[in-house]
Every structure is written in structure tokens, then in C-alpha cells.
Amino acid sequence: MTSAASDQTQPAQPDNSGADALAKSWEPGAVEAELYKGWVDAGYFTADATSDKPPFSIVLPPPNVTGSLHMGHALDHTLMDILARRKRMQGYEVLWLPGMDHAGIATQSVVAKQLAAQGIARDDLTRDEFIAKVWEWKAESGGAIGEQMRQLGDSVDWSRERFTLDEGLSRAVQTIFKRLYDEGLIYRAERLVNWSPVLQTAISDIEVKYEDVEGELVSFRYGSLDDNEPHIVVATTRMETMLGDTAIAVHPEDERYKHLVGTTLAHPFQDRQIPVIADDYVDPEFGTGAVKITPAHDPNDFEMGMRHSLPMPTIMGKTAEITGTGTQFDGMDRFEARVKVREALAEQGRLVAEKRPYLHSVGHSERSGEPIEPRLSMQWWVKVEELAKASGDAVREGNTVIHPNSLEPRWFDWVDNMHDWCISRQLWWGHRIPIWYGPEGETVCLAPGETAPDGYTQDPDVLDTWFSSALWPFSTMGWPDATADLAKFYPTSVLVTGYDILFFWVARMMMFGTYVAKEDAGTDALLGPAGQIPFQDVFLHGLVRDEHGSKMSKSKGNGIDPLDWVEQFGADALRFTLARGANPGSDLSVGEGNAQSSRNFANKLFNATKFALMNGAAPAELPARAELTDADLWILDRLEQVRGQVDDAFDRYEFGKASETLFHFAWDEVCDWYLELAKVQFGGPEGDLSDPRAVSTRAVLGNVLDALLRMLHPVMPFVTETLWKVLAGGESVVVADWPAASGIATDEAAAQRVADVQKLITELRRFRSDQGLKPSQKVPARLGGLEAAGLGAHADAIRSLVRVTVEEEGFEASASVEVRLTSATIVVDLDTSGTVDVEAEKRRMTKDLAAAEKELEGTAAKLANEAFLAKAPDVVVDKIKARQTLAGEEVERLTARLAELGGK
């Protein structure tokens, strides 16, 4: 284990002035902002593309410019920051590149609402005037999340901050659009899309949220009202769509309808006939076994319409009003028409069953809240088959590794079955599609810098936000130019994101990254070689849930603002809470109690370091191991073991395991044991700190805390910076070296002796507690067998930590404790006479015994219940067995103790 100050020599007398440099207690709010500003001003986070250090790069998943930091962001950013800070300490040239997404729909909606509040409708402005208003809003109010990232401690390179509508990124978007268009991989066609009647645009699948809705299932009759004449009964929850029906489908093998296949039935409101078709898609066991087909307003119906070359009339306009049907329903809102069509069918006598409740899943616009309308619309599309195959092959061939690999099947299922991607949006804010139309119907796609001929007009649509986001890993580094950043930092090292957007964003980046690399291969630049991928690892974390395991949402009122926790507990507490629960692919549950625990941990580190500084501890050259005590050897060896475990966990993206390991080492071993043993080795308050053992202890404690603070720094940057700079006297822990392997073999004998000491002390402390002795109360005791157990050198530590004194003349034992250790049994005789209220102790123990007996009976009853054992999971049964064992031990112990006291 190396030390940050291994070239220093320990002074003859300790310098404890460092303790005075620390505040009385840890107050994160008083120091976090100043510390962060100092890091940025010092340039610690600014990457150098000319450096000869090995590169490590991450691009920040760009949050929406309208957004604010939520718990999902906080988790994402914490994990990325841990990776970036650790790699920086390990000697890598680290680029963590930040930026924001222009968020077409969200941003346009925000600005439109602000204008509406001023009495200005969007259509009152020209397109250019509206866009100017959006840019004004961005300059004044956009990007608040950037300040929140600073509060969290993100070590991003602010000098390279990007925005998806920056000039450079816009040029990248236009470049790849033209390449894809020229190769026939972008095309325009009329297809079914998710349509938002409020926003009046197509929206992506990820912007559709499905909710269970209590709808109305209505059955009605096509054909004759005479049961003996040709007719078919169908059912629907969206009665208005029957105005766009172009077929009735049945299963080819359904004997009930075979005679009708190929015939037609009259539409109740229009002068046209509806054919009866046969298709394997229809489930003959569901409902009547016949379904109405509305190809322009239902995804499954659209596919059937394509298979059977059915007409596809669109019967709803941009705001979902009924249009073009030639019926009395034209001009009605879709929900009004739903009622009026049902009433009109009832008047005709066509309703077979009145409306009945029907719970079904309905897609709603995430942004505007209304039910989306599947709608046939002329849009721009990307052919994804070839691009998706390359994305799948990158993972199959191991060029990109998904963590955890258990999510690989979901990746392949998605990319191997991907449908063409709708990339156009009917908005004004965004990347305008670079297609121009001539007066005679000519079409031209312009490359960056090209100008459209006179008389040509540009396509009014903009590109889906995910289109520009798909270029993020390389457009942010200057592509399509050959830049130093691309040469140094591309492909990026790892992508960190939630598994919930694996298919939407990650797949699109993989598609465009592999495509551009293939296109650029053999040129001067850029991303080659062919087959290059945008990131080597994909780490997928889970969702942040509340303490009860429920998904956080505004409707449930269980959401937590991470900045509230930063204000209340400090950024380190928030970060440690999230990191401690984060492992590949797993959701994590957090509550205020977790954050308070993490704040307590920060306080523990602060107080432990302050104690060390008060005793002159500092990282220094260690004495030869032969000169160290068992406790010194044990804690140094444990430090080395923990370092290896933490490195292994971080390398595997097991943030929770690494954090948990550091927590227990710091709290349970350094603070609860080594600091207590160190107090003895310092000689107590009046001890001689120039004593060789005290000098060694200061060096060991200083080195242990130095390495511990460095390992904790990526997770808890603020408290570790505050403490490390005082302890080690270095410039900043941000640029300190990551702890390296010591290469020294563990002293197993010393470790075993310390384990024996811990067991003995624990048992004696339990005895004291059972006796009702006050923690500060000292009692005379005789320690027998220490030499035989090899613990003679630990006698002072044992006596000090269990508050017993050496027996004096006339000592008479009133109690005895036996503790079996590795090689001997220690017998401790104590004189507790006059220190215990026997009757009070008997009453307390009798009460405890009754509780233990009740627990023993309860667990025994459960374990004797065959019905319970047959249904209960193994983990539950094991817990009950453990409770039973513990209860039995308690009954035995308390019964024996009461007997000693002359009780039960």
C-alpha cells in the first residue's frame, strides 16, 4: 500500500495542528460550493487531448434543457462521477463530456405555454419569430440542471459542454442525414404513428405511457338485422373508428364464418361495402371471433391492411376531430363521436350489447397527457434492418459488452426485431429536415454548406430528438471533422444509463456509431476502422424506487427531490446512499433513513480523522513490519484486502458492493476497533507520544486513513477532500494517486490474535451489559490464560477496552466468564460485588427470559406447521430457523444467569 506522503519522515513529537484546521463538526453546506468551484478553477476536470496518459471517456446522457435533477439523474451522475474520479486518480486522461438535449416537444411546449399566458398563440408568430422566443427562453431559464450538477459534484469538463442544436452538432446531423438519404436508408412514406392531438405531432414510443383505463366495450352488428341473413357481430372500445373500417376479419378455419369470407357487408353510415377477409391473426376463441379492421387507426389493423391491400382512409384530423367521412359525425371530437356513433347505431337497432365496463391499456402522451391516437401519416423514416444488425453483431462479437450480461437477450430481441424508425416531428423547434422541394415536385437533400435553388421550399418537419442524440458520442467530439478529441477519446470507454432506455437511446447510438465508422473507414478521419463502436462497455443500472419498493411518481406523491437531500444531508450522503444500492441491472429502494445513515457515516469519517489529527497521525514511511503491533499489522493487511475487493467491484461496475465494503471497513474495523486499540497504543491521554509504539501507531493510522479517504473519494468527494488535504497535506485528493497494491503477504497469525482479542472483548462487554454495569464503571478482574492464548501483549488493550482493573490484595471473584479462543480458553474472574442491584437485575432478566421463551415457542410452532413450510420460500424458513436458534441460546444464557443470581 503506497502512501501519498511516503517520502515524509515522522516528527519526534506529533503535530496535531491539523485538527485545528477542521471545523468543530462536518457541515457540508458550508464548504461544498467553494470546494467545487476550486476544482473547476484548478482545471482538474479539463481533459487534455495531447496528453500521453491512457484515455478514459464518458459522455453524459444529455438531460433535457427543460429538465431538473431527479433521482434517476442523481443515480446516473453519481455512478459516472465515481468512474471518472477513480480513473483520474489511476492516472488516466479523463474526459467526462457534459451537455444538454434541445428536447423538441418538451421545450416547444414550455415556451408555447409561457406565450399563451401572455395571450400569444404559437400560430400568431412566424416560425422564425417563435424559434427566436425559444432561444430567448433557453438563455434566460434553460439548463438549470447544469447548476444542479455542480451541487451534486459532477466532475465534468465544462469547457466542452455541448447542446444538440449547437452549430457543430447541427452540421453532424445534416451530414449523416444526407449520407443515409443518398444510400436509400432514409425515405418518406405514409405509415401508422403515435399521434398526439394536443401537440399535433407524431411522437416516439418512449414518449407514450400506457395506463389501465376503464373503457366501454360495445358490440354492434354489420350486415342484416335478420338473424337468418348474412351478418357479423364485432366489439370495440373505440366506436368512432368504425367510420374508418375497411374490412371485417375472421380466422380462416372458423366454420361459423367460412361462408361469408369473400362477401361484403354494407357500412351503416357510408355508401360502401365492407369485405369479410380471413387472416390467421384473428383469435376465434376471443369474443365473437370476428374483428373490425381500421387500418389507418390501429397498429395491428394496419399490418393486416398491408397484407390484404385494404384501403386506409384517415378519418381524424390533426386534433383528432372526425373528418372526411361524409357523415353527420364530421367535425366532432373523437370522444363526442364515440357517443354519437353508438347512439346512431342503437337507433338503427344494431347494438347487440349495450356498453359494459372494460379495463384496457391505453397509450397516453407523456408530455400532454391525452390518449394518443394511432394515425396514418406521411412521415420520414430510417430503414433499420442493416443498421440494427450491425448493432447486434457488435455485442455478439464482444466489441461492446453489456453489464449485466443477463440483459443481452433483451438487447438481441429488440435489435433483431426492430421496425423502421419514424424520425420526423411536426414541430418548429429542432433540427429542420434538410429536404427541399422544387416547384415541379423536385426533391433535393442538402449537405452542410449547400444552398437550395431559387424557388425551392424546405420540408416543414424537424427531426426526432433521438436522431441527434444518437450521434452524441462522436458529434460532441467534433465529427464530421477529424479532431484531437476524436483521436484521443473515441470510442468512449463506457456508457452509463438506465435499463429502461436500453432500446431507445443505446440502440440508436449503436446504429449510427457503427454506420458512421463503416462509412469513414479508409478516409483521413474519423471514426474508423469499420465496425468501430461508440462505447466499449454499456453499464445498465436499475430504477430508483421509494423505501417500500414502489416506483417514484408525481401521482403517488412518493417522489424525492435529490436536492432536498443535498440541502438536508449533504451531497456526499445523497451520493453514498445511491452508490450503496447500485448494482448492475438491479433496482434500488431508498428513503430518508438511508440518507441519514449516510450522513452519519460522513460524520464518523470526520470525527475519526479529527481524532487521528489530534494525536498527530499523518501518512508517513512505515517502520519495518517486525516493529509493528498485531493491531497495526491486522489493519494494514485488512486495508490491502479491502483495496483489492474495492478495485474488483468497481471494475465490475458493482458500485453497491464497493461502497458496502468501504463502509464496513471504515466503520466496523477502522473506527470501532483500530481507533480504540490505537488509543491504548498512544498511551492514553497522558501517554508519551514520542514512544516508538505511539510513533508507529501515528504512521499506521495516518496511512490507513489516507488510503481509505482516497478510495472513498469517488463516492464522497467533498468530505474526503476536506479531510485528506489536512491529513496528507496534499494539493487535492482529486489528483492524488489511487491506492496501489502493497505486494506484502498477510500476517495470518497477527490477524488471528486480533480476532481472538475482538471475540474476548465482545464477550466481556456482553457480560458487563448483562450485569447492568455502566459503560464507565471499572471493576477488578483477573485475566487467566492470556499467555497460553498468545495474547499476553494485548492485556493492556483488553483491560482498557472492557474497563477492568488489575486485581488487588484481597480480591475475591463474585463472577466468572469463560471464553473459548483459537488455542486456549480464557477465564476472567471479576469482583462485581456492590456494583449490581441484584433484585433489579433479576427482574430485568426475568422479563427478557419471558420474551425469549415466547419467541422460541412462536418459531417452533411455525416450523412445525407443514402447510406453512410447504408454501414459504426457503429464505423465509431459514430466517425463522435462525431466530429459533438465537432464542434458544438466549433462554439458555438467561436461565443460567438467573440461577447464579438465585432467581428462577
Side-chain angles (χ1 to χ4, degrees):
M1 181 69 62
T2 60
S3 165
S6 59
D7 59 339
Q8 298 178 13
T9 57
Q10 189 74 27
Q13 288 295 327
D15 176 10
N16 60 6
S17 61
D20 297 331
L22 294 177
K24 182 178 180 181
S25 61
W26 174 236
E27 297 295 339
V31 299
E32 287 177 346
E34 183 180 352
L35 285 175
Y36 189 84
K37 183 178 184 299
W39 292 333
V40 174
D41 291 347
Y44 293 152
F45 308 153
T46 304
D48 180 3
T50 66
S51 166
D52 58 3
K53 296 179 182 178
F56 180 85
S57 57
I58 311 178
V59 290
L60 179 79
N64 287 354
V65 67
T66 60
S68 61
L69 201 71
H70 56 62
M71 270 298 182
H73 287 131
L75 172 62
D76 233 13
H77 290 216
T78 294
L79 301 185
M80 282 183 278
D81 197 35
I82 290 171
L83 294 173
R85 286 179 181 270
R86 176 170 174 258
K87 287 295 183 180
R88 199 175 283 119
M89 296 173 74
Q90 287 180 313
Y92 286 78
E93 190 62 43
V94 173
L95 169 61
W96 183 14
L97 196 150
M100 288 182 292
D101 195 299
H102 64 277
I105 291 175
T107 305
Q108 181 159 315
S109 298
V110 166
V111 176
K113 286 178 183 177
Q114 288 190 350
L115 290 172
Q118 302 170 30
I120 304 172
R122 188 193 77 169
D123 292 339
D124 292 340
L125 305 175
T126 66
R127 182 176 189 137
D128 288 343
E129 288 172 340
F130 179 80
I131 291 174
K133 292 289 186 184
V134 181
W135 280 110
E136 287 176 14
W137 171 87
K138 178 185 181 293
E140 295 172 5
S141 308
I145 199 169
E147 178 55 36
Q148 295 168 345
M149 289 166 59
R150 290 172 166 84
Q151 290 178 256
L152 190 62
D154 287 5
S155 63
V156 296
D157 184 347
W158 291 110
S159 71
R160 286 176 166 86
E161 185 176 11
R162 299 291 184 262
F163 182 55
T164 47
L165 281 178
D166 284 348
E167 181 181 352
L169 274 67
S170 296
R171 192 160 64 90
V173 167
Q174 192 171 353
T175 298
I176 196 169
F177 186 99
K178 180 166 176 58
R179 287 190 185 183
L180 292 165
Y181 178 83
D182 289 347
E183 289 190 34
L185 295 177
I186 285 182
Y187 64 95
R188 192 169 186 241
E190 194 174 39
R191 298 280 180 84
L192 209 66
V193 296
N194 301 310
W195 186 266
S196 167
V198 171
L199 301 172
Q200 297 182 42
T201 180
I203 61 177
S204 70
D205 290 341
I206 200 172
E207 291 158 332
V208 177
K209 301 301 178 185
Y210 287 87
E211 303 172 11
D212 286 338
V213 173
E214 191 71 57
E216 298 173 346
L217 187 66
V218 181
S219 298
F220 69 97
R221 187 175 187 133
Y222 267 113
S224 175
L225 298 178
D226 185 343
D227 287 346
N228 296 315
E229 297 296 325
H231 69 278
I232 292 181
V233 175
V234 295
T236 182
T237 58
R238 298 201 302 152
M239 184 61 76
E240 70 281 6
T241 62
M242 65 86 60
L243 299 170
D245 286 353
T246 57
I248 300 163
V250 299
H251 193 275
E253 303 302 321
D254 194 331
E255 294 295 336
R256 295 170 295 177
Y257 303 117
K258 272 190 173 181
H259 67 290
L260 292 176
V261 174
T263 66
T264 62
L265 300 174
H267 192 282
F269 303 117
Q270 296 167 319
D271 184 19
R272 59 189 178 91
Q273 295 290 310
I274 306 296
V276 180
I277 63 174
D279 195 286
D280 290 334
Y281 168 78
V282 180
D283 180 1
E285 303 298 325
F286 182 77
T288 63
V291 294
K292 57 185 284 302
I293 305 301
T294 318
H297 293 279
D298 182 273
N300 295 318
D301 293 3
F302 175 77
E303 296 297 330
M304 200 178 299
M306 294 290 287
R307 288 196 295 272
H308 294 271
S309 300
L310 298 175
M312 298 186 182
T314 299
I315 61 157
M316 293 187 205
K318 294 181 179 179
T319 59
E321 78 285 2
I322 304 300
T323 184
T325 68
T327 68
Q328 68 268 34
F329 309 108
D330 281 356
M332 292 183 184
D333 173 79
R334 55 180 167 163
F335 300 117
E336 179 187 3
R338 184 170 298 173
V339 176
K340 296 299 183 183
V341 169
R342 177 174 55 77
E343 291 174 349
L345 287 171
E347 290 176 6
Q348 292 184 15
R350 293 190 173 278
L351 286 193
V352 176
E354 276 291 339
K355 61 183 181 179
R356 61 183 177 85
Y358 183 75
L359 188 68
H360 61 133
S361 182
V362 176
H364 288 69
S365 170
E366 181 184 40
R367 296 295 175 189
S368 46
E370 85 283 14
I372 61 105
E373 185 62 44
R375 181 172 180 263
L376 196 63
S377 178
M378 184 66 74
Q379 302 285 347
W380 287 95
W381 304 81
V382 173
K383 288 183 180 179
V384 299
E385 182 178 4
E386 177 184 335
L387 302 175
K389 181 180 183 303
S391 301
D393 289 345
V395 175
R396 286 189 181 93
E397 295 167 6
N399 296 322
T400 293
V401 179
I402 293 177
H403 304 265
N405 60 14
S406 59
L407 289 176
E408 280 188 4
R410 292 178 61 185
W411 170 262
F412 295 131
D413 183 61
W414 175 261
V415 297
D416 293 345
N417 299 284
M418 194 181 295
H419 298 293
D420 284 1
W421 171 19
C422 176
I423 57 171
S424 48
R425 299 290 181 266
Q426 289 64 57
L427 303 170
W428 282 355
W429 173 248
H431 292 102
R432 189 91 172 258
I433 288 179
I435 295 289
W436 294 72
Y437 304 106
E440 304 300 324
E442 306 94 331
T443 300
V444 60
C445 179
L446 299 183
E450 294 182 344
T451 305
D454 290 342
Y456 278 59
T457 58
Q458 189 172 4
D459 191 295
D461 289 350
V462 300
L463 286 164
D464 175 16
T465 296
W466 294 100
F467 190 95
S468 52
S469 297
L471 309 179
W472 190 250
F474 49 91
S475 65
T476 52
M477 295 189 196
W479 186 88
D481 294 333
T483 66
D485 279 357
L486 278 173
K488 179 72 174 180
F489 297 112
Y490 192 86
T492 61
S493 306
V494 59
L495 174 75
V496 177
T497 191
Y499 64 67
D500 52 330
I501 61 171
L502 170 65
F503 312 129
F504 297 99
W505 186 45
V506 181
R508 284 157 171 72
M509 286 189 290
M510 288 285 281
M511 287 195 301
F512 279 3
T514 52
Y515 168 78
V516 169
K518 182 188 72 173
E519 294 294 302
D520 284 349
T523 68
D524 288 336
L526 294 174
L527 305 189
Q532 184 66 278
I533 37 80
F535 22 74
Q536 296 162 350
D537 283 353
V538 176
F539 169 71
L540 301 167
H541 59 72
L543 305 178
V544 184
R545 298 180 178 274
D546 71 11
E547 57 191 326
H548 305 294
S550 297
K551 187 175 181 180
M552 293 184 183
S553 69
K554 291 181 181 178
S555 60
K556 293 180 181 177
N558 65 342
I560 301 170
D561 185 340
L563 296 180
D564 288 346
W565 279 10
V566 170
E567 182 177 351
Q568 188 175 357
F569 305 112
D572 289 329
L574 168 66
R575 292 166 61 107
F576 190 75
T577 298
L578 294 172
R580 195 175 179 185
N583 279 307
S586 300
D587 291 350
L588 61 151
S589 298
V590 297
E592 191 165 297
N594 302 107
Q596 181 63 61
S597 174
S598 297
R599 168 62 192 262
N600 292 344
F601 181 45
N603 290 342
K604 191 82 167 178
L605 291 172
F606 188 89
N607 293 333
T609 306
K610 192 164 188 178
F611 165 80
L613 291 167
M614 289 174 63
N615 286 278
E621 188 74 29
L622 291 171
R625 283 175 68 89
E627 299 174 23
L628 299 177
T629 67
D630 284 347
D632 296 335
L633 294 169
W634 164 73
I635 199 65
L636 289 171
D637 291 345
R638 282 296 298 135
L639 175 63
E640 173 61 14
Q641 292 162 359
V642 165
R643 183 208 56 76
Q645 292 164 3
V646 168
D647 272 341
D648 182 66
F650 277 142
D651 288 343
R652 295 173 180 270
Y653 303 106
E654 294 174 346
F655 298 93
K657 185 176 180 180
S659 300
E660 197 74 8
T661 298
L662 287 167
F663 172 84
H664 286 293
F665 175 67
W667 193 298
D668 301 344
E669 298 182 282
V670 175
C671 295
D672 283 0
W673 282 109
Y674 186 70
L675 283 185
E676 294 303 309
L677 295 169
K679 290 176 183 177
V680 179
Q681 296 182 177
F682 284 142
E686 306 302 324
D688 179 7
L689 291 182
S690 65
D691 179 86
R693 191 174 71 160
V695 172
S696 296
T697 302
R698 291 202 300 273
V700 170
L701 181 55
N703 282 17
V704 169
L705 286 175
D706 164 41
L708 176 60
L709 292 172
R710 283 186 279 152
M711 286 191 287
L712 277 167
H713 173 71
V715 187
M716 306 177 77
F718 294 105
V719 70
T720 53
E721 173 79 337
T722 301
L723 298 175
W724 188 87
K725 287 174 71 174
V726 177
L727 177 76
E731 176 186 343
S732 171
V733 71
V734 176
V735 291
D737 291 339
W738 183 257
S742 68
I744 299 174
T746 300
D747 190 325
E748 299 291 351
Q752 186 58 66
R753 288 191 293 271
V754 171
D756 281 344
V757 168
Q758 291 172 332
K759 181 178 180 180
L760 178 58
I761 291 172
T762 300
E763 289 298 321
L764 291 176
R765 283 173 170 173
R766 188 166 101 162
F767 173 80
R768 288 179 60 100
S769 176
D770 289 346
Q771 292 288 328
L773 294 172
K774 296 177 181 178
S776 61
Q777 191 172 1
K778 293 185 177 182
V779 296
R782 179 189 300 120
L783 304 180
L786 287 184
E787 293 298 336
L791 303 184
H794 297 274
D796 289 346
I798 294 167
R799 290 186 183 280
S800 174
L801 296 183
V802 293
R803 310 292 290 174
V804 297
T805 61
V806 178
E807 73 275 19
E808 299 177 356
E809 186 176 350
F811 170 82
E812 290 186 12
S814 60
S816 181
V817 179
E818 292 187 5
V819 182
R820 177 64 185 172
L821 301 180
T822 305
S823 58
T825 296
I826 303 296
V827 179
V828 183
D829 297 320
L830 303 102
D831 178 9
T832 59
S833 58
T835 63
V836 178
D837 183 337
V838 175
E839 291 305 316
E841 182 69 1
K842 285 163 64 175
R843 288 193 297 272
R844 181 183 71 81
M845 299 188 78
T846 300
K847 182 179 178 181
D848 290 347
L849 178 60
E853 288 173 338
K854 183 177 180 181
E855 170 75 353
L856 187 61
E857 291 170 5
T859 54
K862 280 192 174 182
L863 294 173
N865 186 333
E866 295 296 335
F868 168 76
L869 293 176
K871 295 179 180 179
D874 290 344
V875 65
V876 173
V877 175
D878 290 343
K879 285 183 179 179
I880 294 174
K881 288 180 178 178
R883 284 168 50 197
Q884 183 187 45
T885 300
L886 183 61
E889 291 173 351
E890 279 293 280
V891 168
E892 183 179 341
R893 183 180 68 84
L894 291 167
T895 300
R897 179 59 184 149
L898 277 167
E900 291 176 5
L901 296 175
K904 181 176 177 181

